[in-house]
């Protein structure tokens, strides 16, 4: 083990953890509000990647402007998915909503494979790097962290400072009581699903500036999101962000000690241990 290798890997993993956390926030927000496990999360992340790619290659749009487009497209797509696949089964047993979102998963991957194939793609972007003391921080990584923090802060401001955000939290806490207070719970559920999808597409857009990807890449990040959500606490956006940072840091440090191919195994071991020892996660649930 070398300290020269440990510190850069830890910093790299820590920075990546913010993007992981952003992806997981979308998943946990949807679960926290409507108790739906969204299995279309991974393909939606991949759609965020391809949104940036298509806008960049076809229209010459800066990838970070493409990210804004991915955010709003995700919001719209999420609302559509909710009304098409989730709304009619929202009160059905959890297995039904699970299968409904899984069907959306299969449709997105199927159509994405036809349109984009499974060949690896990459967004052409270079922001340089900061170097010092044997540590290199890529500009794309630094910008991704800044954007992830800004989006997470905006989400909290929306949920805790706006009327719509407070209505979403009221529906999450007690849907029947919220309806008695005049809140349109159906509209709030659709908006929540849209926001969760927008977060997933935004994280995918950020990941497209960091790594190459295919239409199937979202599955990897979906599984990481589940680990993070369990780690941070189901239904807790703050826990998801913290869990993402912890997982990213763990990935960065682990690669110094073990082969990269063993890192997912380590993550799943942690996943199982958290479920057995502290099923509520590190921070528990919070509406």
């Amino acid at each position: 083990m070398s300290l020269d290798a440990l510190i850069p890997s830890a910093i790299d993993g820590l920075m990546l953890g913010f993007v992981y956390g952003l992806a997981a926030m979308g998943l946990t927000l949807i679960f926290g509000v409507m108790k739906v496990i969204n299995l279309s999360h991974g393909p939606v992340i991949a759609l965020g990647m391809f949104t940036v790619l298509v806008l960049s290659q076809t229209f010459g749009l800066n990838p970070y402007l493409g990210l804004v487009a991915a955010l709003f497209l995700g919001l719209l797509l999420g609302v559509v998915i909710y009304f098409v696949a989730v709304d009619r089964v929202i009160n059905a047993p959890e297995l039904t909503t699970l299968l409904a979102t899984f069907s959306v998963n299969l449709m997105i991957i199927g159509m994405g494979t036809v349109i984009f194939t499974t060949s690896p793609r990459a967004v052409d972007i270079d922001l340089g790097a900061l170097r010092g003391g044997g540590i290199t921080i890529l500009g794309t990584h630094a910008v991704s962290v800044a954007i992830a923090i800004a989006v997470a802060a905006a989400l909290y401001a929306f949920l805790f400072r706006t009327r719509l955000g407070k209505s979403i939290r009221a529906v999450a806490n007690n849907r029947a009581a919220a309806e008695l207070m005049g809140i349109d719970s159906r509209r709030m559920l659709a908006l929540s699903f849209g926001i969760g999808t927008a977060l997933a597409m935004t994280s995918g857009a950020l990941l497209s500036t960091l790594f190459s990807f295919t239409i199937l890449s979202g599955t990897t990040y979906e599984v990481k999101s589940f680990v993070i959500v369990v780690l941070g606490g189901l239904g807790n956006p703050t826990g998801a962000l913290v869990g993402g940072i912890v997982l990213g840091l763990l990935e960065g440090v682990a690669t110094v000690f073990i082969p990269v191919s063993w890192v997912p195994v380590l993550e799943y071991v942690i996943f199982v241990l958290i479920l057995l020892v502290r099923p509520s996660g590190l921070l528990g649930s919070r509406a």
Side-chain angles (χ1 to χ4, degrees):
M1 182 191 73
S2 168
L3 192 62
D4 292 338
L6 180 62
I7 293 178
S9 294
I11 292 175
D12 197 44
L14 188 65
M15 297 177 79
L16 194 55
F18 281 94
V19 183
Y20 289 167
L22 187 64
M25 285 177 79
L27 189 69
T28 202
L29 177 69
I30 291 173
F31 181 83
V33 174
M34 61 190 80
K35 301 293 180 286
V36 169
I37 298 174
N38 180 21
L39 291 185
S40 66
H41 191 70
V44 166
I45 291 175
L47 284 182
M49 298 171 174
F50 278 92
T51 298
V52 170
L53 180 74
V54 170
L55 292 176
S56 175
Q57 292 186 345
T58 306
F59 302 103
L61 197 66
N62 184 288
Y64 292 110
L65 292 178
L67 183 147
V68 177
L71 191 154
F72 285 104
L73 184 61
L75 181 64
L76 179 63
L77 177 64
V79 172
V80 171
I81 291 175
Y82 175 81
F83 282 116
V84 171
V86 180
D87 183 48
R88 295 183 181 181
V89 295
I90 190 68
N91 295 317
E94 291 181 358
L95 178 61
T96 306
T97 54
L98 195 74
L99 293 175
T101 56
F102 184 59
S103 66
V104 176
N105 173 317
L106 295 178
M107 284 189 282
I108 294 176
I109 287 182
M111 288 189 290
T113 302
V114 171
I115 297 171
F116 301 113
T117 73
T118 55
S119 300
R121 309 295 182 93
V123 173
D124 185 18
I125 182 170
D126 183 6
L127 300 181
L130 295 174
R131 294 181 175 84
I135 299 173
T136 300
I137 297 177
L138 296 176
T140 50
H141 285 232
V143 171
S144 294
V145 170
I147 292 175
I149 293 173
V151 173
L155 174 66
Y156 268 88
F158 173 77
L159 289 176
F160 288 90
R161 301 292 181 187
T162 68
R163 187 180 180 86
L164 273 177
K166 291 175 182 176
S167 296
I168 288 175
R169 290 170 53 218
V171 171
N173 280 324
N174 190 321
R175 196 184 308 172
E179 289 174 351
L180 288 174
M181 296 299 292
I183 296 174
D184 186 343
S185 64
R186 191 169 177 236
R187 186 178 162 210
M188 292 304 109
L189 292 175
L191 179 60
S192 303
F193 207 97
I195 294 172
T197 305
L199 291 172
M201 282 193 67
T202 303
S203 64
L206 286 176
L207 288 165
S208 72
T209 65
L210 307 178
F211 308 111
S212 60
F213 54 89
T214 73
I215 191 65
L216 305 176
S217 296
T219 303
T220 301
Y221 298 108
E222 179 177 325
V223 173
K224 289 183 188 296
S225 294
F226 278 116
V227 176
I228 291 167
V229 165
V230 170
L231 186 62
L234 275 168
N236 187 337
T238 305
L241 189 60
V242 172
I245 295 169
V246 170
L247 188 73
L249 183 62
L250 181 69
E251 277 190 3
V253 172
T255 53
V256 179
F257 299 95
I258 59 176
V260 174
S261 57
W262 279 94
V263 172
V265 177
L266 179 62
E267 291 174 351
Y268 300 141
V269 169
I270 293 173
F271 179 78
V272 173
L273 286 176
I274 290 289
L275 284 175
L276 292 175
V277 177
R278 191 176 171 81
S280 62
L282 296 177
L283 301 183
S285 64
R286 180 182 176 190

